[in-house]
Amino acid sequence: MERIRAYVENNRQRFLEELLEFLRIPSVSADPAHRRDVRRAAEFVRQRLEAAGVDRARLVDTPGHPVVLGEKLIDPSLPTVLVYGHYDVQPADPLELWRTPPFEPVLRDGCIHGRGASDDKGQLYVHIKAIEYLRNAGFPCNLRFLLEGEEESGSLSLPAVLDGHRADLAADVALVSDTAMLPDNMPAITVGLRGLAAVEVIVRGASRDLHSGIFGGAVANPVHVLCRLIADLHDEHHRIAVPGIYDRVLAVGPEERALMAGAGLDADWYCREVGVPAVVCEEGFSPFECTTIRPSLDVNGIRGGYAGEALKTVLPAEACAKISVRLVPEQRSEVVSGQLEEWLRNRAPAGVEVEVRRLHGGEPVHVPLDFPGYLAAKRAMTEVFGREPLPVRGGGSIPVVALLQERLGLRTVLMGFGQDSDAIHSPNERFGIDNYLRGIMASIRFLQLLPTVMA
Ligand code: BES
Ligand code: MN
Ligand code: MN
């Protein structure tokens, strides 16, 4: 451990500079204008893997963005770890809210600031630097890499890549660093992720936008209808009102709930972190529970009519919204999007037509605490952080985790080094420098400990 600490400290400056270079590439997967930048980020990652001693580092083209694969196979009798990460990032807007430009990363207040610093370029780069160390110190196990560029836009090309490269991805366990720890430097290992079921709903009224003086009062307004539909999606207990949606929600036991209650994420934390006067939660559950062990439904965006300068007295022909539901075990995205679709359609009032389009989905996951991967991660984090990590669920979604389980029978260790206050997907995203460096150490120790834990 001391050798590792010294190596990381001695190379700190270079590790930071390399990450800054990575962050300068605006690899926004959702924006077609950045297609070439996304590819440049893939090339960057490929080249860095190769430089760290990884064999066959290569780009696999897909209908979307390339997937980067690579491997270091040293001994078939040793375990094999599949490292997953994503090199794409979320769009950076609204730009004016950034203190420094999103793709001109800087070090400030002990953090690396820039789009992708925490989600997920910084956390992905952790493993590349760990491999660099192991190249000199000796590889303790076999390694494979699966680094994608479409996570932030739904991992649509990933299932085909998994099916087409089964042999290249064969492993004993997957390792993913794309999640957060707990406040106050409390280390944590993520043991669950929520899934996602999303739809777009379009309400259509008249065949054109109308003058609200000539027609207002006589014709249904699609914006009103959409707002009513959305308002009715929750009941007065802040539960989702769609029938059947809670049918397959597993109750979580009192021990896990007690652990969550003591994890430092109380209502005050949420209020302070996001600047709200009060939290609004499903009755009977804490905010931490509502964002991890309970499903939640949000309108992600809404459009309709005129909201620009001055006033345009229009009666809109159309209104639409994107709605997504975060899922928990044992909910299935197909079932939930179906329930949502049916509910929306059946409530269409006279005078409008309601169309529902299903958007991509992803399944929830829960990782057991008693498999070798988890035990190795727990020991690695304890050594590096000086405290035993807590097992906690995360509220976000990482589609690959369920796909690896379903298609390759692979369990995933979610050993992330972010903080919920890293502002991922928001302006001023950042990643603590200490967490970046500790991440590198924890990755090294995980890979060294896994073979002994598995033996
Ligand atoms: N890294 C996040 C997911 C995450 C964040 C998990 C925090 C746990 C804690 C990931 O990059 C992400 O943003 N995923 C999207 C997936 C979607 C686009 C399919 C999400 O959760 O919205
Ligand atoms: Mn991510
Ligand atoms: Mn993300």
Side-chain angles (χ1 to χ4, degrees):
M1 188 61 215
E2 279 327 301
R3 258 187 75 194
I4 297 170
R5 211 177 280 281
Y7 183 82
V8 170
E9 272 312 314
N10 294 338
N11 290 280
R12 173 195 169 99
Q13 200 55 35
R14 181 172 58 85
F15 287 176
L16 286 168
E17 276 160 18
E18 289 180 16
L19 177 53
L20 294 184
E21 191 182 337
F22 189 16
L23 294 176
R24 276 182 211 114
I25 309 172
S27 50
V28 181
S29 60
D31 185 350
H34 284 294
R35 199 172 170 80
R36 306 215 13 212
D37 296 317
V38 179
R39 194 173 184 89
R40 265 207 298 140
E43 291 285 1
F44 177 92
V45 167
R46 192 206 67 77
Q47 191 270 327
R48 291 312 161 108
L49 279 178
E50 196 170 76
V54 172
D55 299 328
R56 294 180 70 215
R58 60 199 187 278
L59 265 56
V60 173
D61 282 312
T62 75
H65 300 294
V67 167
V68 182
L69 298 182
E71 63 199 34
K72 186 80 215 175
L73 305 175
I74 53 157
D75 179 350
S77 70
L78 288 169
T80 303
V81 176
L82 174 67
V83 177
Y84 165 90
H86 64 91
Y87 64 81
D88 65 322
V89 300
Q90 282 282 326
D93 55 275
L95 290 179
E96 65 278 10
L97 294 183
W98 286 78
R99 284 184 57 200
T100 48
F103 299 109
E104 293 169 32
V106 293
L107 305 180
R108 192 201 314 138
D109 305 330
C111 291
I112 306 147
H113 288 252
R115 173 56 88 229
S118 175
D119 184 14
D120 178 44
K121 285 174 166 173
Q123 300 208 53
L124 181 167
Y125 211 65
V126 154
H127 301 296
I128 299 184
K129 293 300 96 180
I131 304 312
E132 171 193 301
Y133 172 87
L134 293 171
R135 174 189 214 176
N136 303 319
F139 286 108
C141 55
N142 302 303
L143 294 160
R144 294 184 191 275
F145 290 86
L146 169 67
L147 309 175
E148 71 157 316
E150 286 179 43
E151 199 274 348
E152 299 293 10
S153 40
S155 299
L156 297 184
S157 303
L158 208 56
V161 172
L162 298 190
D163 288 343
H165 292 82
R166 294 180 72 90
D168 291 327
L169 300 170
D172 297 285
V173 61
L175 174 61
V176 177
S177 298
D178 191 21
T179 51
M181 301 182 293
L182 289 167
D184 304 321
N185 290 316
M186 184 64 205
I189 297 175
T190 299
V191 295
L193 291 168
R194 292 198 289 180
L196 198 64
V199 302
E200 178 172 14
V201 51
I202 304 154
V203 180
R204 292 197 182 85
S207 56
R208 58 188 155 88
D209 283 359
L210 304 172
H211 189 294
S212 68
I214 302 174
F215 295 101
V219 174
N221 184 323
V223 174
H224 301 193
V225 172
L226 181 60
C227 290
R228 165 70 51 85
L229 286 173
I230 289 170
D232 287 345
L233 277 166
H234 288 96
D235 69 15
E236 68 276 25
H237 309 291
H238 303 295
R239 283 170 62 92
I240 304 168
V242 179
I245 223 156
Y246 290 93
D247 283 356
R248 296 183 62 180
V249 171
L250 287 189
V252 165
E255 277 163 47
E256 187 172 348
R257 292 187 71 184
L259 187 148
M260 295 182 81
L265 289 167
D266 55 10
D268 279 350
W269 182 91
Y270 284 90
C271 291
R272 262 184 284 117
E273 174 60 27
V274 303
V276 290
V279 292
V280 176
C281 289
E282 181 187 348
E283 222 169 271
F285 296 93
S286 72
F288 187 24
E289 290 175 332
C290 287
T291 57
T292 53
I293 63 171
R294 302 295 295 169
S296 59
L297 179 150
D298 279 285
V299 174
N300 303 117
I302 183 165
R303 182 168 56 78
Y306 179 82
E309 283 299 308
L311 178 66
K312 182 182 176 195
T313 49
V314 73
L315 197 169
E318 193 176 290
C320 69
K322 298 205 181 187
I323 304 175
S324 62
V325 185
R326 296 282 171 175
L327 311 173
V328 300
E330 297 287 320
Q331 291 180 296
R332 298 293 298 175
S333 63
E334 274 286 317
V335 174
V336 171
S337 0
Q339 290 166 329
L340 190 55
E341 176 177 344
E342 198 182 334
W343 186 91
L344 289 164
R345 275 192 209 293
N346 291 344
R347 291 177 83 90
V352 296
E353 225 175 75
V354 172
E355 186 194 343
V356 182
R357 295 184 187 153
R358 297 203 198 178
L359 306 176
H360 59 74
E363 306 309 326
V365 288
H366 185 229
V367 179
L369 305 193
D370 57 357
F371 83 112
Y374 183 83
L375 297 177
K378 179 166 136 182
R379 281 174 58 183
M381 285 192 96
T382 305
E383 286 182 18
V384 171
F385 289 83
R387 291 156 93 175
E388 198 171 287
L390 292 178
V392 292
R393 301 194 203 215
S397 310
I398 309 176
V400 74
V401 181
L403 292 172
L404 289 174
Q405 174 74 51
E406 281 161 20
R407 295 184 185 235
L408 303 176
L410 263 188
R411 273 201 199 132
T412 298
V413 177
L414 291 156
M415 186 171 68
F417 307 103
Q419 292 276 302
D420 282 337
S421 53
D422 284 345
I424 67 170
H425 295 205
S426 298
N428 304 307
E429 178 177 351
R430 55 198 170 259
F431 188 26
I433 294 172
D434 287 345
N435 288 335
Y436 175 49
L437 301 176
R438 288 190 198 118
I440 297 169
M441 298 185 231
S443 170
I444 296 169
R445 286 305 287 148
F446 171 82
L447 297 170
Q448 290 180 332
L449 287 163
L450 186 72
T452 58
V453 174
M454 283 188 66

